[in-house]
Amino acid sequence: MAGLGTGEILIIALVLVALFGSRKLPDMARSVGRSLRVFKAETDRSRADDNGSRSVSGAALEEQARLLEEQAARLRAQTSKA
């Protein structure tokens, strides 16, 4: 665990108990756990949105290219008639 030994973990736990008290530590641990779950869910959703937008933008780009080709063909046809 990041190079922390048993002694260091015990010292950190004692400092936390001294700072916040033994009654508030479980509530703090729950809130940290909830925050991490929310953060993970949001990052997963963001990744899914990024992956989805790439495929949508690729399809949108293909559609735009097709529309531009059609417009170019119409313009060529109009200029050749004139």
Side-chain angles (χ1 to χ4, degrees):
M1 184 177 184
L4 293 177
T6 307
E8 289 91 358
I9 293 174
L10 286 174
I11 291 172
I12 292 170
L14 289 173
V15 169
L16 287 174
V17 169
L19 288 175
F20 300 108
S22 61
R23 291 186 182 173
K24 291 196 179 211
L25 282 179
D27 294 334
M28 290 176 59
R30 273 187 224 103
S31 65
V32 168
R34 285 186 200 121
S35 299
L36 288 175
R37 267 184 264 138
V38 168
F39 180 75
K40 184 177 185 258
E42 290 297 323
T43 55
D44 289 345
R45 186 177 302 141
S46 176
R47 285 185 189 135
D49 288 346
D50 287 346
N51 291 339
S53 67
R54 285 187 194 133
S55 63
V56 169
S57 66
L61 287 175
E62 290 174 8
E63 179 68 18
Q64 271 187 330
R66 187 184 62 76
L67 291 173
L68 286 173
E69 288 173 2
E70 289 175 1
Q71 287 177 350
R74 282 190 218 118
L75 286 172
R76 280 189 221 112
Q78 287 176 355
T79 55
S80 64
K81 289 181 184 177

